[in-house]
Amino acid sequence: MEKRSNIIDCTIRDGGLVNNWDFSVEFVQDLYNGLSEAGVEYMEIGYKNSPKLLKATEPNPWRFLDDNFLKEIIPEKKFTKLSALVDIGRVDPNDILPREQSVLDMIRVACYIREVDKGLELVQMFHDLGYETSLNIMALSSVPEQQLIEAFELVKASPVNVVYIVDSFGSLDPSDIEHQVKKFKEMLPNKQLGIHTHNNMQLAFANTLRAMQNGVSFLDSSVYGMGRAAGNCHTELLVSYIKKPSYEIKPVLRVIEEHMLEMRQQWEWGYIIPYMISGALNEHPRVAMAYRDSDDRDKFVDFYDKVTSPESLPARASK
Amino acid sequence: MEKRSNIIDCTIRDGGLVNNWDFSVEFVQDLYNGLSEAGVEYMEIGYKNSPKLLKATEPNPWRFLDDNFLKEIIPEKKFTKLSALVDIGRVDPNDILPREQSVLDMIRVACYIREVDKGLELVQMFHDLGYETSLNIMALSSVPEQQLIEAFELVKASPVNVVYIVDSFGSLDPSDIEHQVKKFKEMLPNKQLGIHTHNNMQLAFANTLRAMQNGVSFLDSSVYGMGRAAGNCHTELLVSYIKKPSYEIKPVLRVIEEHMLEMRQQWEWGYIIPYMISGALNEHPRVAMAYRDSDDRDKFVDFYDKVTSPESLPARASK
């Protein structure tokens, strides 16, 4: 079972949510080379959303991936395949080349449960252009069962390769993950499954392991956990843990040593109390992120009072 | 099952291994009050080893607990019971008062598998003096099955209340923990079980949960994870997670906010790459700790090469 595992390193894509994709070309190249040497199967090198549709006023190469730019910076593909993420309503079909003309191998579609039909339209398009595809259903912890069943009827009939279980709020524990995986497997017997976790409660790695042990074969992670708010499952932990002759941890350690320690000084992610609280409450981390940007950033009791006050309750997602 | 859980906060005892017990009386009092308000069942306030037997040249009140001193600083017991840890060969029976004359409620005995007989002699003595007792078998990940079976014949016949599964090297994953718990339960049906984890691979909380879900009722933790090297399961995560009406997270958040952030600036513990590596290799963290004290502290690739070189292999414990 473990032999089938694929790690998708999301350092650039999800980590960019931390630092507005302030990554140098050299860093991205170094990461790509390191992941290739480490035997990591995929690297998600950014978003392939449209700057026009997002009314972007500044260039942001990892948020708005451009095929010509990608070919320049990665003139020669190595072991690791490249993937990009798109959001519903933010991607311009005219931006997408056929796979044989692109350095991208996989395009992943993030969507909420109510947009699954739109997500699958995009999947169909990317599939027809030759890409591997995935559908990443976000905020899963708040989706009612019946909605999931209806959405899965559509998913089953689509050509999507991988369907992701996304613990957007970092609110799930390993038992929850196992429950979800079993449900997904039962309802989508013809699809490969993926897992994307967040580390709010220090469970990202344990949740990923539990998913893998239950047959999930696409495992998202980031080097040193870099990702929005509490961050993701750590790539170095997966590479170290999974028994696969092709994985080498040293190239990942090198990336951490040469880049990530310094980046962690400059940017903040990981296990931080307000994110732990938002995870435990099954809430989007945006309130906690705003709090961390304020002068009150370390007033944890005050933060807890705010997010659990009766006034804030109606806004909370029920678990 | 969860209703039976007991949290033993080890911030002072295990955290003292980080800072040589450089805790102020005010901090310890504040922690005790916070844990009591939080509904945490036990606080391990230090070691009750003998300064004479350890040839200590300087006073160290939390390493060499003294009953008169304890009565002074905690004149009135609140909700939380107090425990102390002792090591084989380091405790002087003359130092131990009968429980009714002490503020301590529980004395725990740490030992390696080869010393279980000596550990149980101490347990018998503390039991006869009226204390709750536990036996904490260290370095479990390296103990051969047959040795465990033999040791457990002695344990079964002793009055010890709780037998601990101790993941000394932070090398176990939740499946390993479940396996150990099932073995312990089968071999020691008349004992309560405890779990003490380390966070080398970010699995301390997940391992503790898995143990709890399998019937382990004594859960060790530290506030903000403070403990030797990678530290322990975080008290705030347990208090937040376990559904028990008596648990309140805010007093723990207050301790973190008022004390732990500053202490973490001054002292180092937690998920740090050399500790991750020593956990993955099932090794004592001492080599990694020395490395973190050297100028090479952030040279992770070099550290990995050193600890995996053929010369260092004979010293490694086999998993």
Side-chain angles (χ1 to χ4, degrees):
Chain A
M1 183 169 63
E2 289 190 355
K3 280 177 198 137
R4 294 194 299 117
S5 69
N6 292 280
I7 298 175
I8 300 199
D9 183 272
C10 302
T11 309
I12 302 303
R13 202 269 308 160
D14 205 325
L17 296 166
V18 174
N19 67 354
N20 194 31
W21 297 274
D22 186 7
F23 298 111
S24 71
V25 167
E26 292 67 32
F27 169 68
V28 176
Q29 289 171 328
D30 220 21
L31 178 64
Y32 179 72
N33 293 335
L35 293 173
S36 280
E37 287 166 38
V40 170
E41 288 82 359
Y42 294 83
M43 167 172 168
E44 190 153 88
I45 194 163
Y47 279 94
K48 194 153 178 52
N49 287 330
S50 155
K52 276 169 288 173
L53 290 175
L54 275 162
K55 299 186 174 59
T57 52
E58 285 182 13
N60 195 328
W62 318 113
R63 191 177 174 203
F64 307 116
L65 291 171
D66 174 87
D67 280 287
N68 291 325
F69 172 73
L70 279 181
K71 267 172 221 154
E72 246 172 71
I73 66 151
I74 303 191
E76 197 192 341
K77 290 278 279 289
K78 299 188 175 173
F79 176 83
T80 300
K81 294 183 183 179
L82 292 175
S83 83
L85 190 69
V86 300
D87 292 313
I88 306 287
R90 294 180 171 180
V91 56
D92 181 347
N94 300 316
D95 288 348
I96 315 292
L97 295 176
R99 179 177 175 182
E100 67 260 30
Q101 297 171 36
S102 171
V103 289
L104 293 174
D105 301 283
M106 184 180 215
I107 303 186
R108 312 203 299 169
V109 178
C111 72
Y112 290 101
I113 192 82
R114 61 175 185 280
E115 318 162 314
V116 161
D117 52 343
K118 286 180 191 148
L120 291 172
E121 279 174 26
L122 287 175
V123 161
Q124 183 71 54
M125 179 180 81
F126 300 137
H127 173 80
D128 292 345
L129 288 167
Y131 293 97
E132 300 174 41
T133 58
S134 83
L135 187 73
N136 300 17
I137 303 171
M138 298 182 288
L140 193 73
S141 55
S142 312
V143 175
E145 179 100 6
Q146 189 50 38
Q147 258 186 295
L148 207 59
I149 292 171
E150 286 167 25
F152 280 177
E153 286 305 314
L154 303 174
V155 174
K156 254 191 256 182
S158 93
V160 69
N161 301 109
V162 188
V163 180
Y164 262 79
I165 296 166
V166 183
D167 178 18
S168 296
F169 303 159
S171 62
L172 303 181
D173 69 23
S175 306
D176 297 327
I177 294 289
E178 182 167 288
H179 176 77
Q180 295 286 358
V181 171
K182 285 183 173 163
K183 206 162 63 179
F184 272 55
K185 273 171 80 172
E186 198 184 299
M187 294 199 273
L188 299 170
N190 62 335
K191 299 298 178 192
Q192 295 183 82
L193 299 183
I195 182 84
H196 183 94
T197 59
H198 286 111
N199 212 18
N200 301 61
M201 300 192 289
Q202 299 192 359
L203 291 173
F205 178 47
N207 283 344
T208 304
L209 289 190
R210 190 73 164 260
M212 182 177 80
Q213 284 152 1
N214 281 276
V216 169
S217 52
F218 279 75
L219 314 174
D220 280 18
S221 62
S222 300
V223 177
Y224 214 49
M226 186 178 189
R228 187 173 61 183
N232 306 118
C233 175
H234 289 229
T235 302
E236 71 273 18
L237 287 170
L238 287 181
V239 169
S240 159
Y241 184 92
I242 298 174
K243 305 291 172 251
K244 201 171 180 178
S246 57
Y247 287 147
E248 290 287 340
I249 194 173
K250 277 168 62 175
V252 185
L253 296 179
R254 196 192 66 224
V255 171
I256 298 174
E257 175 177 332
E258 292 180 2
H259 299 285
M260 305 312 293
L261 289 184
E262 200 181 322
M263 289 172 64
R264 182 60 185 80
Q265 291 293 319
Q266 194 175 354
W267 307 102
E268 174 176 289
W269 71 86
Y271 178 77
I272 289 158
I273 296 296
Y275 301 142
M276 184 276 279
I277 293 170
S278 70
L281 295 173
N282 190 23
E283 289 195 16
H284 194 287
R286 70 172 72 82
V287 179
M289 290 167 76
Y291 205 79
R292 289 299 289 173
D293 270 338
S294 77
D295 289 341
D296 294 331
R297 64 201 310 270
D298 287 333
K299 294 187 179 163
F300 304 146
V301 174
D302 180 66
F303 176 77
Y304 185 83
D305 279 338
K306 279 205 173 107
V307 292
T308 57
S309 73
E311 302 88 68
S312 80
L313 284 176
R316 281 172 55 190
S318 62
K319 187 162 181 174
Chain B
M1 186 171 59
E2 290 191 353
K3 278 175 198 138
R4 295 195 299 117
S5 69
N6 292 280
I7 299 176
I8 299 198
D9 183 273
C10 302
T11 309
I12 301 303
R13 202 270 308 160
D14 205 324
L17 296 166
V18 174
N19 68 353
N20 195 30
W21 297 273
D22 185 8
F23 298 112
S24 70
V25 167
E26 293 66 34
F27 169 67
V28 176
Q29 289 172 327
D30 220 20
L31 179 64
Y32 180 72
N33 293 333
L35 293 172
S36 281
E37 287 166 39
V40 170
E41 288 82 357
Y42 294 82
M43 166 171 168
E44 190 151 271
I45 196 163
Y47 280 93
K48 197 154 177 48
N49 286 332
S50 155
K52 275 167 291 173
L53 290 175
L54 276 161
K55 299 188 174 59
T57 51
E58 285 182 13
N60 196 327
W62 319 113
R63 191 177 173 204
F64 307 116
L65 291 171
D66 173 88
D67 281 287
N68 291 325
F69 172 73
L70 279 180
K71 267 171 219 154
E72 245 173 69
I73 67 150
I74 304 192
E76 198 192 342
K77 290 277 280 288
K78 297 186 176 172
F79 176 82
T80 300
K81 293 183 185 178
L82 293 175
S83 83
L85 190 69
V86 300
D87 293 314
I88 306 288
R90 294 180 171 181
V91 57
D92 181 348
N94 299 315
D95 288 348
I96 315 292
L97 295 176
R99 178 177 177 184
E100 66 261 30
Q101 297 170 36
S102 171
V103 290
L104 294 173
D105 301 284
M106 184 180 215
I107 302 186
R108 312 203 300 169
V109 177
C111 71
Y112 291 101
I113 194 80
R114 63 177 185 278
E115 317 161 314
V116 160
D117 52 342
K118 287 180 192 150
L120 291 173
E121 279 174 27
L122 286 175
V123 161
Q124 183 72 52
M125 178 181 80
F126 300 136
H127 173 79
D128 292 344
L129 288 166
Y131 293 97
E132 300 174 41
T133 58
S134 84
L135 187 73
N136 300 17
I137 303 170
M138 298 182 288
L140 194 71
S141 55
S142 312
V143 175
E145 179 100 4
Q146 189 52 36
Q147 259 186 295
L148 208 59
I149 292 171
E150 286 167 24
F152 280 177
E153 286 305 314
L154 304 174
V155 174
K156 253 191 256 182
S158 93
V160 69
N161 301 111
V162 188
V163 180
Y164 263 79
I165 296 166
V166 183
D167 178 17
S168 296
F169 302 158
S171 61
L172 302 181
D173 70 21
S175 306
D176 298 328
I177 294 288
E178 184 167 287
H179 176 77
Q180 294 286 357
V181 171
K182 285 182 173 163
K183 207 162 62 179
F184 272 56
K185 274 170 82 172
E186 200 185 298
M187 294 199 272
L188 298 171
N190 62 336
K191 299 297 177 192
Q192 295 184 81
L193 300 182
I195 182 85
H196 183 94
T197 59
H198 286 110
N199 211 18
N200 301 59
M201 300 191 289
Q202 299 193 359
L203 291 173
F205 178 46
N207 283 345
T208 305
L209 289 189
R210 191 72 164 261
M212 183 177 79
Q213 285 152 1
N214 281 277
V216 169
S217 52
F218 279 76
L219 315 174
D220 280 18
S221 63
S222 300
V223 177
Y224 213 48
M226 185 178 190
R228 187 175 59 183
N232 306 117
C233 174
H234 289 228
T235 303
E236 70 271 20
L237 287 170
L238 288 181
V239 168
S240 159
Y241 184 91
I242 299 173
K243 306 292 171 248
K244 201 171 180 179
S246 58
Y247 287 147
E248 290 287 341
I249 193 172
K250 277 169 60 174
V252 185
L253 296 179
R254 197 193 68 225
V255 172
I256 298 174
E257 175 178 333
E258 293 180 0
H259 300 284
M260 304 313 292
L261 290 185
E262 201 181 321
M263 288 172 63
R264 182 61 186 79
Q265 291 293 319
Q266 194 176 354
W267 307 102
E268 173 176 287
W269 70 87
Y271 178 78
I272 291 159
I273 296 296
Y275 301 142
M276 184 277 278
I277 293 169
S278 71
L281 296 174
N282 189 24
E283 290 195 14
H284 194 286
R286 71 172 71 84
V287 179
M289 290 167 75
Y291 205 79
R292 290 298 290 171
D293 269 339
S294 77
D295 289 343
D296 294 331
R297 64 201 310 270
D298 287 333
K299 294 186 179 163
F300 303 147
V301 175
D302 179 67
F303 176 77
Y304 185 83
D305 280 339
K306 280 207 171 107
V307 292
T308 57
S309 74
E311 302 88 69
S312 80
L313 285 175
R316 281 173 57 191
S318 61
K319 189 164 180 172

